[in-house]
Amino acid sequence: MYEHFRPTVQRLGGASAWRHASVLLLLVLMVNSPPVSAVPKGEFLVFPNINTISRKDELTLNGQKILPQEHTDPSVDFFFSRDFERLRVIAEFFTSSSDDHGAHFERLQLGWRLPRNMNLWGGRFHNPLGYWNTQYHHGSYLETAITRPGTVAYESSGGILPMHLAGLLLEGSVTRGEAMFGYDLAVGLGPGLSGAALEELNILNPDSRSEPVLTLRLNYSPLEDGPTQYGLSFSRGTIPDNLGGDIRQETMGAHANWETGRLRLLGALYTIRNEITGSDDRSFASGYLQAEWALALRWTLFSRLEDSRGEKDDGFLARIPLFVRARQLGGIRFELTDRQALKLEFSNTRYLGHHSEAVRFQWSAVFP
Amino acid sequence: MERGLSMKRFLLLALLLACCSVSQAEIRRLVMVTATPELAEIRLSPRDIRKLYLGRAIIRNDRRLIPLINRSDPLLYQIFLQKSVLMSSNSYERFLLAKVFRSGGSRPQRYDSLQQLIQALLHRPHTVSYMWAVNARDEPRLRIITEIWRGNIR
């Protein structure tokens, strides 16, 4: 079943490297150009991090090492944003030493700010599915934990849902008293299934087959711009399979982030239905619950439980061996400075037919 | 008679001590200010100020207000965050960073020097900020828009 397994590597090289470099250079020139007025209209942020992981055993699949026992992975995420009157540009470029990620634009989007708190975006953006994928991305410093929940893992890291889309995104909010209702509607091309992992659409080199995905997200915050929020998501799309055939996927989810004093709880539950061409459709549920406790000004304890139900018979999941079916993790975060953090995380993870115990350590930061 | 006198002395002493302690506590006012003449008469509610500093658009006289962060006095900054933004300093910094990272735009400009802040207010139209009323009164071109907080500081 796994003879087609290959990591979805997007390395810089040849024409692709020049294309990436020229776009990055353009962005740097834009952010460094003299501003129209003295008021800043742009940001350039750098999120470096170094991850080290130590597993009890390495994970092999058909003789191939898919998760090594020891691994260190430095990476840098560059973020740029700038406003030109009503036009807004966002670019996020990620580069990593890991073969799973390589170097590529995570986000490259152009937005038009409309009246009534509405924004219309075009380009490559985060699929507004649930909480995690709209709050965080490669800026590890902003995440309390080191790892993302398996359900919302990146496409190339055992993810099963489209985390990136290339197309159009309409987002907005309406306030009623103290409360805020938010909405996101996205239509775009999603990932394809290539070997044993999903492969994101690379908009600068769109040679892979992609099909449209539609996502709707509704959100409610009792206090406008407050941290507590509850929401629902719905997504429907087709994932083309490079072996032939398609997977029609439908996802419904509920998410919540609740904060009071030192305690924070966040979680999401999804029901996912996959229908592989020529076979019956299968549904399963997958979700996570994370608790965070601020011990003192600089220390935060965190713990997360992830689980799936009914996933064993899903033919699509059987193609993705790195999908995290269940995980228990706990860890601690220390704020080294105002802009740097150290994290330590212990986890017990269940994959398809394997399980892995691991210790992760991460230094992460944001500059300036 | 002697007992009555000692009671009077005691009360006078207590009054004197109370007066001394009140004079030691300084009554301060934290105010929103602008140097843009057409913004001098605008109204800003506590909710407007919170939204403004959380990155939401607040429009007055058809122009978007530009908030400037005053960090020249740690106590002033803490009081402003507690009374207006309703967040701790760390949470606020993280909130602004996460908001920009998520949706783009830019964070409000920060000033660690009161003089630089006043210069920015004087030279950039439609900017607003907050400071002690006593500092605002020292610069005649600054107009107080509203009072955010008033209290004793020992």
Side-chain angles (χ1 to χ4, degrees), chain B residues 58-136:
Chain B
I58 299 292
I59 310 291
R60 292 291 183 274
N61 298 341
D62 296 328
R63 295 301 298 263
R64 185 174 177 161
L65 301 185
I66 301 164
L68 305 179
I69 294 175
N70 179 0
R71 298 205 313 181
S72 63
D73 177 345
L75 180 64
L76 172 139
Y77 186 49
Q78 288 305 321
I79 292 173
F80 174 74
L81 291 178
Q82 280 179 22
K83 300 297 171 186
S84 289
V85 182
L86 312 179
M87 287 184 193
S88 69
S89 172
N90 281 347
S91 299
Y92 182 52
E93 299 283 325
R94 191 80 68 87
F95 172 88
L96 291 178
L97 197 59
K99 185 180 172 78
V100 165
F101 189 53
R102 193 167 60 242
S103 327
S106 54
R107 293 168 286 179
Q109 191 135 21
R110 293 176 292 183
Y111 291 88
D112 294 328
S113 152
L114 182 63
Q115 284 314 308
Q116 287 180 359
L117 172 73
I118 291 172
Q119 288 306 309
L121 285 165
L122 292 175
H123 293 103
R124 296 177 192 172
H126 307 104
T127 50
V128 294
S129 191
Y130 52 89
M131 60 180 63
W132 297 125
V134 66
N135 295 134

XYZ file of all heavy atoms in Angstrom, chain B residues 58-136:
656
model
N -11.749 53.512 14.271
C -12.641 54.492 14.896
C -12.581 55.746 14.034
O -11.507 56.336 13.855
C -12.201 54.807 16.350
C -12.245 53.542 17.211
C -13.066 55.908 16.958
C -13.641 52.993 17.471
N -13.704 56.089 13.474
C -13.764 57.214 12.532
C -14.390 58.424 13.229
O -15.454 58.314 13.856
C -14.635 56.847 11.288
C -14.203 55.495 10.695
C -14.609 57.967 10.250
C -12.866 55.477 10.036
N -13.713 59.560 13.121
C -14.255 60.817 13.611
C -13.959 61.887 12.566
O -12.825 61.955 12.059
C -13.610 61.229 14.956
C -13.974 60.331 16.123
C -15.450 60.476 16.524
N -15.783 59.671 17.680
C -16.153 58.389 17.649
N -16.237 57.760 16.485
N -16.455 57.743 18.764
N -14.956 62.691 12.265
C -14.822 63.724 11.230
C -14.324 63.116 9.912
O -13.446 63.658 9.246
C -13.872 64.842 11.664
C -14.375 65.565 12.885
O -15.571 65.486 13.206
N -13.495 66.252 13.578
N -14.868 61.960 9.593
C -14.542 61.242 8.345
C -13.094 60.780 8.254
O -12.631 60.423 7.174
C -14.858 62.110 7.105
C -16.336 62.393 7.003
O -17.126 61.519 7.425
O -16.691 63.488 6.535
N -12.374 60.813 9.332
C -10.992 60.342 9.302
C -10.791 59.278 10.370
O -11.379 59.341 11.448
C -10.007 61.496 9.555
C -10.016 62.554 8.467
C -9.671 61.991 7.090
N -8.340 61.435 7.038
C -7.274 62.078 6.592
N -7.395 63.324 6.165
N -6.094 61.487 6.571
N -9.937 58.334 10.046
C -9.639 57.267 10.998
C -8.630 57.770 12.036
O -7.585 58.332 11.660
C -9.065 56.072 10.235
C -8.835 54.874 11.118
C -8.408 53.665 10.323
N -8.136 52.562 11.237
C -8.083 51.302 10.889
N -8.289 50.960 9.639
N -7.837 50.365 11.777
N -8.951 57.567 13.305
C -8.030 57.989 14.365
C -6.817 57.060 14.401
O -6.941 55.854 14.179
C -8.728 57.969 15.724
C -9.975 58.849 15.877
C -10.466 58.804 17.319
C -9.688 60.282 15.471
N -5.667 57.640 14.698
C -4.423 56.855 14.757
C -3.945 56.843 16.208
O -3.540 57.881 16.737
C -3.340 57.462 13.842
C -3.849 57.498 12.399
C -2.040 56.672 13.947
C -3.041 58.404 11.496
N -4.017 55.686 16.866
C -3.609 55.637 18.281
C -2.098 55.508 18.426
O -1.451 54.799 17.661
C -4.306 54.379 18.800
C -4.374 53.491 17.608
C -4.493 54.375 16.399
N -1.548 56.214 19.381
C -0.122 56.090 19.711
C -0.027 55.575 21.146
O -0.777 56.019 22.023
C 0.589 57.442 19.602
C 0.464 58.179 18.260
C 1.208 59.516 18.328
C 1.010 57.337 17.113
N 0.889 54.651 21.370
C 1.036 54.054 22.701
C 2.088 54.822 23.489
O 3.215 55.003 23.020
C 1.421 52.563 22.582
C 0.267 51.771 21.951
C 1.780 51.979 23.944
C 0.581 50.309 21.679
N 1.701 55.246 24.679
C 2.610 55.980 25.559
C 3.166 55.025 26.616
O 2.435 54.590 27.506
C 1.842 57.126 26.220
C 2.714 57.927 27.169
O 3.888 57.647 27.338
N 2.132 58.941 27.782
N 4.453 54.695 26.481
C 5.085 53.820 27.476
C 6.181 54.561 28.231
O 7.118 53.959 28.752
C 5.677 52.575 26.793
C 4.624 51.718 26.103
C 5.039 50.294 25.970
N 6.391 50.133 25.459
C 6.967 48.970 25.243
N 6.322 47.862 25.512
N 8.181 48.893 24.763
N 6.034 55.887 28.294
C 7.088 56.683 28.931
C 7.079 56.526 30.447
O 8.074 56.790 31.102
C 6.922 58.156 28.568
O 5.691 58.641 29.064
N 5.948 56.100 31.002
C 5.827 55.937 32.442
C 5.168 54.575 32.688
O 4.003 54.381 32.314
C 4.960 57.083 32.994
C 4.715 56.953 34.488
O 4.950 55.865 35.042
O 4.263 57.940 35.095
N 5.893 53.631 33.303
C 5.337 52.276 33.473
C 4.007 52.268 34.236
O 3.101 51.510 33.892
C 6.419 51.535 34.263
C 7.676 52.291 34.000
C 7.275 53.714 33.792
N 3.894 53.137 35.227
C 2.659 53.171 36.013
C 1.490 53.654 35.155
O 0.399 53.073 35.167
C 2.840 54.089 37.232
C 1.624 54.211 38.136
C 1.277 52.875 38.771
C 1.873 55.261 39.219
N 1.738 54.692 34.392
C 0.713 55.228 33.489
C 0.265 54.158 32.493
O -0.935 53.969 32.255
C 1.286 56.441 32.770
C 0.478 57.074 31.633
C 0.567 58.582 31.716
C 0.978 56.629 30.280
N 1.230 53.427 31.957
C 0.922 52.386 30.963
C 0.072 51.284 31.596
O -0.911 50.826 31.010
C 2.238 51.830 30.411
C 2.080 50.842 29.263
C 1.269 51.138 28.173
C 2.758 49.627 29.272
C 1.137 50.244 27.121
C 2.626 48.731 28.214
C 1.813 49.048 27.149
O 1.671 48.160 26.116
N 0.444 50.894 32.824
C -0.314 49.843 33.505
C -1.744 50.292 33.786
O -2.693 49.524 33.590
C 0.370 49.458 34.830
C 1.664 48.679 34.662
C 1.494 47.431 33.816
O 0.493 46.736 33.927
N 2.455 47.168 32.956
N -1.899 51.535 34.235
C -3.249 52.031 34.525
C -4.072 52.101 33.240
O -5.233 51.697 33.203
C -3.179 53.417 35.210
C -2.579 53.260 36.612
C -4.562 54.049 35.311
C -2.298 54.577 37.327
N -3.445 52.558 32.164
C -4.156 52.641 30.886
C -4.626 51.249 30.434
O -5.780 51.070 30.021
C -3.249 53.266 29.818
C -3.868 53.236 28.448
C -4.906 54.091 28.123
C -3.427 52.330 27.502
C -5.505 54.040 26.873
C -4.008 52.275 26.253
C -5.051 53.133 25.934
N -3.729 50.272 30.535
C -4.098 48.921 30.096
C -5.222 48.352 30.964
O -6.157 47.735 30.463
C -2.882 47.997 30.139
C -1.787 48.272 29.114
C -0.613 47.311 29.307
C -2.314 48.148 27.692
N -5.119 48.583 32.269
C -6.145 48.048 33.185
C -7.493 48.717 32.980
O -8.532 48.057 32.994
C -5.713 48.258 34.635
C -4.710 47.236 35.122
C -4.293 47.517 36.553
O -4.990 48.170 37.309
N -3.125 47.014 36.925
N -7.494 50.024 32.789
C -8.757 50.765 32.726
C -9.356 50.799 31.323
O -10.571 50.860 31.182
C -8.554 52.216 33.211
C -8.053 52.324 34.623
C -9.072 51.755 35.594
C -8.495 51.658 36.987
N -9.414 50.975 37.917
N -8.522 50.792 30.306
C -9.053 50.965 28.951
C -9.011 49.694 28.112
O -9.991 49.342 27.475
C -8.271 52.056 28.218
O -8.577 53.306 28.758
N -7.874 49.034 28.096
C -7.718 47.874 27.207
C -8.201 46.594 27.886
O -8.578 45.628 27.228
C -6.248 47.755 26.751
C -6.051 46.599 25.801
C -5.808 49.035 26.060
N -8.217 46.589 29.205
C -8.663 45.437 30.005
C -7.781 44.212 29.768
O -8.266 43.089 29.679
C -10.140 45.088 29.709
C -11.128 46.250 29.708
C -12.542 45.768 29.382
C -11.123 46.972 31.039
N -6.498 44.436 29.615
C -5.546 43.336 29.439
C -4.266 43.673 30.195
O -3.974 44.855 30.412
C -5.158 43.159 27.966
C -6.204 42.564 27.091
S -5.518 42.320 25.432
C -7.003 42.003 24.513
N -3.502 42.636 30.512
C -2.180 42.865 31.076
C -1.240 43.278 29.944
O -1.570 43.114 28.761
C -1.657 41.591 31.744
O -1.390 40.629 30.755
N -0.083 43.780 30.319
C 0.876 44.232 29.312
C 1.272 43.097 28.360
O 1.272 43.264 27.140
C 2.107 44.789 30.028
O 3.114 45.073 29.123
N 1.582 41.929 28.947
C 1.982 40.789 28.116
C 0.865 40.355 27.177
O 1.091 40.077 26.001
C 2.381 39.594 28.994
C 3.768 39.772 29.544
O 4.519 40.636 29.107
N 4.108 38.960 30.537
N -0.348 40.287 27.715
C -1.489 39.859 26.889
C -1.731 40.850 25.759
O -2.053 40.459 24.631
C -2.754 39.752 27.733
O -2.578 38.816 28.742
N -1.580 42.126 26.061
C -1.821 43.150 25.039
C -0.790 43.063 23.915
O -1.135 43.081 22.729
C -1.801 44.532 25.695
C -2.077 45.664 24.740
C -3.195 45.647 23.907
C -1.228 46.771 24.666
C -3.450 46.690 23.033
C -1.482 47.818 23.804
C -2.592 47.766 22.985
O -2.831 48.796 22.104
N 0.478 42.929 24.307
C 1.544 42.815 23.297
C 1.301 41.591 22.414
O 1.439 41.638 21.193
C 2.909 42.692 23.967
C 3.294 43.873 24.839
C 3.759 45.070 24.039
O 4.387 44.861 23.004
O 3.465 46.207 24.457
N 0.941 40.486 23.063
C 0.698 39.230 22.335
C -0.524 39.374 21.425
O -0.547 38.871 20.309
C 0.494 38.097 23.352
C 0.490 36.701 22.788
C 1.879 36.165 22.536
N 2.617 35.941 23.744
C 2.573 34.817 24.457
N 1.823 33.822 24.083
N 3.318 34.682 25.532
N -1.548 40.058 21.937
C -2.769 40.254 21.149
C -2.455 41.027 19.865
O -2.883 40.644 18.771
C -3.818 41.012 21.980
C -5.025 41.420 21.184
C -6.108 40.561 21.057
C -5.081 42.648 20.533
C -7.211 40.924 20.298
C -6.176 43.010 19.770
C -7.247 42.155 19.657
N -1.708 42.117 20.011
C -1.397 42.946 18.834
C -0.576 42.162 17.812
O -0.822 42.222 16.608
C -0.635 44.203 19.256
C -1.420 45.235 20.066
C -0.504 46.394 20.457
C -2.611 45.775 19.280
N 0.386 41.415 18.339
C 1.248 40.622 17.453
C 0.427 39.574 16.702
O 0.548 39.410 15.487
C 2.319 39.945 18.317
C 3.549 39.395 17.641
C 4.297 40.488 16.903
C 4.459 38.760 18.682
N -0.431 38.871 17.444
C -1.234 37.811 16.833
C -2.218 38.393 15.818
O -2.455 37.793 14.767
C -1.992 37.046 17.920
N -2.757 39.549 16.114
C -3.733 40.164 15.200
C -3.067 40.554 13.882
O -3.598 40.292 12.812
C -4.345 41.400 15.866
C -5.458 42.046 15.066
C -6.001 43.250 15.795
C -6.964 44.025 14.923
N -8.287 43.422 14.832
N -1.887 41.148 13.994
C -1.166 41.536 12.779
C -0.756 40.290 11.993
O -0.889 40.237 10.767
C 0.074 42.391 13.141
C 1.025 42.500 11.972
C -0.359 43.770 13.580
N -0.297 39.269 12.702
C 0.156 38.042 12.037
C -1.012 37.346 11.333
O -0.846 36.709 10.309
C 0.774 37.113 13.086
C 1.463 35.920 12.506
C 2.425 36.051 11.527
C 1.163 34.645 12.956
C 3.073 34.944 11.000
C 1.803 33.538 12.443
C 2.758 33.682 11.459
N -2.196 37.497 11.909
C -3.375 36.827 11.353
C -3.948 37.620 10.173
O -4.235 37.047 9.135
C -4.416 36.715 12.467
C -5.563 35.799 12.183
C -6.360 35.510 13.438
N -6.921 36.697 14.050
C -6.622 37.141 15.265
N -5.773 36.489 16.006
N -7.185 38.219 15.754
N -4.120 38.923 10.357
C -4.881 39.684 9.361
C -4.110 40.808 8.703
O -4.689 41.567 7.925
C -6.116 40.315 10.014
O -6.633 39.542 11.027
N -2.830 40.970 9.036
C -2.056 42.043 8.427
C -2.255 43.361 9.143
O -2.758 43.416 10.259
N -1.854 44.449 8.485
C -1.916 45.766 9.118
C -0.673 46.009 9.937
O 0.357 45.359 9.740
N -0.754 46.959 10.864
C 0.412 47.251 11.697
C -0.042 47.568 13.113
O -1.183 47.980 13.336
C 1.226 48.406 11.117
O 0.389 49.513 10.919
N 0.889 47.385 14.036
C 0.594 47.684 15.440
C 0.704 49.187 15.674
O 1.460 49.858 14.967
C 1.601 46.952 16.339
C 1.454 45.438 16.297
C 2.619 44.739 16.946
N 3.801 44.813 16.091
C 4.982 44.306 16.390
N 5.153 43.680 17.524
N 6.001 44.412 15.558
N 0.000 49.719 16.678
C 0.167 51.147 16.985
C 1.619 51.443 17.346
O 2.293 50.619 17.979
C -0.734 51.355 18.210
C -1.710 50.242 18.191
C -0.996 49.078 17.565
N 2.079 52.618 16.932
C 3.466 52.994 17.226
C 3.636 53.255 18.723
O 2.772 53.873 19.353
C 3.839 54.239 16.441
C 5.308 54.534 16.482
C 5.851 54.892 15.106
O 5.106 55.288 14.234
N 7.140 54.753 14.919
N 4.763 52.781 19.277
C 4.998 52.924 20.720
C 6.058 53.991 20.973
O 7.021 54.100 20.222
C 5.484 51.587 21.302
C 4.418 50.523 21.266
C 4.945 49.211 21.747
N 5.917 48.658 20.819
C 6.500 47.476 20.974
N 6.220 46.748 22.021
N 7.355 47.026 20.091
N 5.893 54.716 22.076
C 6.854 55.747 22.452
C 7.284 55.552 23.896
O 6.445 55.460 24.788
C 6.233 57.142 22.271
C 6.023 57.467 20.815
C 4.846 57.107 20.168
C 7.014 58.089 20.080
C 4.663 57.361 18.826
C 6.845 58.354 18.730
C 5.670 57.985 18.107
O 5.505 58.241 16.775
N 8.583 55.475 24.105
C 9.118 55.364 25.463
C 9.513 56.727 26.006
O 9.912 56.838 27.162
C 10.331 54.420 25.482
C 9.912 52.992 25.155
O 8.773 52.623 25.512
O 10.705 52.261 24.539
N 9.450 57.744 25.165
C 9.807 59.101 25.588
C 8.586 60.001 25.426
O 7.968 60.048 24.351
C 10.973 59.622 24.733
O 10.916 61.021 24.637
N 8.250 60.723 26.479
C 7.089 61.619 26.433
C 7.309 62.726 25.402
O 6.382 63.095 24.671
C 6.840 62.216 27.826
C 5.635 63.131 27.938
C 4.337 62.389 27.656
C 5.583 63.774 29.322
N 8.528 63.234 25.331
C 8.810 64.320 24.379
C 8.601 63.851 22.942
O 8.025 64.566 22.122
C 10.248 64.835 24.563
C 10.411 65.727 25.779
C 9.300 66.774 25.899
O 9.025 67.500 24.945
N 8.639 66.821 27.050
N 9.070 62.629 22.660
C 8.889 62.103 21.296
C 7.417 61.871 20.992
O 6.956 62.088 19.872
C 9.687 60.810 21.140
C 11.187 61.057 21.045
C 11.969 59.773 20.900
O 11.408 58.680 20.880
N 13.283 59.893 20.838
N 6.688 61.421 22.001
C 5.249 61.210 21.815
C 4.558 62.531 21.498
O 3.749 62.612 20.563
C 4.645 60.577 23.077
C 3.121 60.472 23.079
C 2.653 59.388 22.121
C 2.592 60.191 24.478
N 4.894 63.563 22.261
C 4.264 64.876 22.034
C 4.623 65.395 20.639
O 3.772 65.914 19.918
C 4.679 65.870 23.146
C 4.029 65.437 24.473
C 4.268 67.293 22.791
C 4.498 66.212 25.689
N 5.872 65.204 20.238
C 6.273 65.630 18.887
C 5.475 64.892 17.814
O 5.054 65.489 16.822
C 7.780 65.386 18.680
C 8.671 66.351 19.459
C 8.340 67.809 19.174
O 8.262 68.228 18.013
N 8.110 68.583 20.228
N 5.270 63.590 18.041
C 4.489 62.799 17.071
C 3.053 63.303 17.016
O 2.470 63.442 15.930
C 4.527 61.328 17.458
N 2.485 63.596 18.166
C 1.108 64.110 18.197
C 1.017 65.460 17.484
O 0.049 65.735 16.767
C 0.643 64.273 19.649
C 0.289 62.985 20.395
C 0.210 63.228 21.901
C -1.026 62.404 19.903
N 2.046 66.283 17.666
C 2.024 67.620 17.066
C 2.199 67.571 15.546
O 1.662 68.399 14.835
C 3.131 68.487 17.674
C 2.959 68.869 19.150
C 4.181 69.623 19.656
C 1.710 69.708 19.351
N 2.948 66.596 15.073
C 3.295 66.595 13.648
C 2.507 65.606 12.798
O 2.596 65.655 11.579
C 4.801 66.339 13.492
C 5.617 67.467 14.033
N 6.261 67.402 15.246
C 5.837 68.723 13.563
C 6.876 68.555 15.479
N 6.627 69.376 14.473
N 1.775 64.703 13.431
C 1.010 63.735 12.637
C -0.483 63.964 12.856
O -0.978 63.748 13.964
C 1.356 62.308 13.038
C 2.799 61.996 12.749
C 3.137 60.620 13.218
N 4.578 60.441 13.199
C 5.191 59.388 13.692
N 4.500 58.427 14.256
N 6.497 59.296 13.643
N -1.171 64.379 11.833
C -2.604 64.652 11.969
C -3.382 63.385 12.351
O -3.007 62.279 11.967
C -3.027 65.125 10.579
C -1.769 65.434 9.861
C -0.688 64.620 10.470
N -4.447 63.582 13.099
C -5.397 62.528 13.475
C -4.824 61.505 14.434
O -5.377 60.425 14.602
C -5.986 61.840 12.237
C -6.561 62.820 11.276
N -5.921 63.187 10.105
C -7.676 63.578 11.336
C -6.627 64.108 9.490
N -7.691 64.374 10.209
N -3.697 61.833 15.068
C -3.168 60.933 16.090
C -3.750 61.313 17.451
O -4.036 62.480 17.714
C -1.628 61.010 16.177
O -1.246 62.382 16.270
C -0.972 60.391 14.971
N -3.930 60.306 18.268
C -4.392 60.522 19.646
C -3.537 59.664 20.562
O -2.965 58.649 20.131
C -5.882 60.139 19.831
C -6.806 61.043 19.037
C -6.127 58.683 19.467
N -3.444 60.056 21.811
C -2.734 59.241 22.786
C -3.244 59.591 24.185
O -4.217 60.341 24.325
C -1.222 59.445 22.687
O -0.553 58.468 23.467
N -2.591 59.051 25.180
C -3.020 59.264 26.562
C -1.795 59.682 27.375
O -0.665 59.298 27.067
C -3.637 57.973 27.138
C -2.735 56.785 26.963
C -1.785 56.448 27.920
C -2.768 56.027 25.794
C -0.922 55.388 27.732
C -1.909 54.963 25.597
C -0.988 54.654 26.581
O -0.124 53.614 26.394
N -2.024 60.491 28.380
C -0.924 60.925 29.255
C -1.519 61.521 30.524
O -2.743 61.695 30.627
C -0.023 61.938 28.542
C -0.704 63.195 28.103
S 0.431 64.347 27.257
C 0.909 63.421 25.816
N -0.675 61.840 31.503
C -1.150 62.530 32.688
C -1.620 63.917 32.278
O -0.994 64.566 31.433
C -0.039 62.669 33.738
C 0.505 61.377 34.286
C 1.802 60.985 34.299
C -0.219 60.323 34.929
N 1.939 59.753 34.880
C 0.702 59.316 35.291
C -1.565 60.119 35.220
C 0.326 58.140 35.929
C -1.935 58.940 35.863
C -1.001 57.970 36.214
N -2.697 64.371 32.912
C -3.248 65.691 32.585
C -2.214 66.780 32.810
O -2.145 67.755 32.045
C -4.492 65.948 33.425
N -1.387 66.598 33.834
C -0.384 67.624 34.142
C 0.617 67.767 32.993
O 1.059 68.876 32.677
C 0.298 67.292 35.499
C 1.122 66.018 35.426
C 1.138 68.460 35.978
N 0.933 66.679 32.319
C 1.832 66.741 31.159
C 1.131 67.367 29.955
O 1.748 68.102 29.177
C 2.321 65.345 30.778
C 3.178 64.725 31.861
O 3.004 63.565 32.217
N 4.099 65.493 32.410
N -0.156 67.080 29.834
C -0.912 67.636 28.702
C -1.017 69.159 28.838
O -0.967 69.886 27.837
C -2.295 67.008 28.642
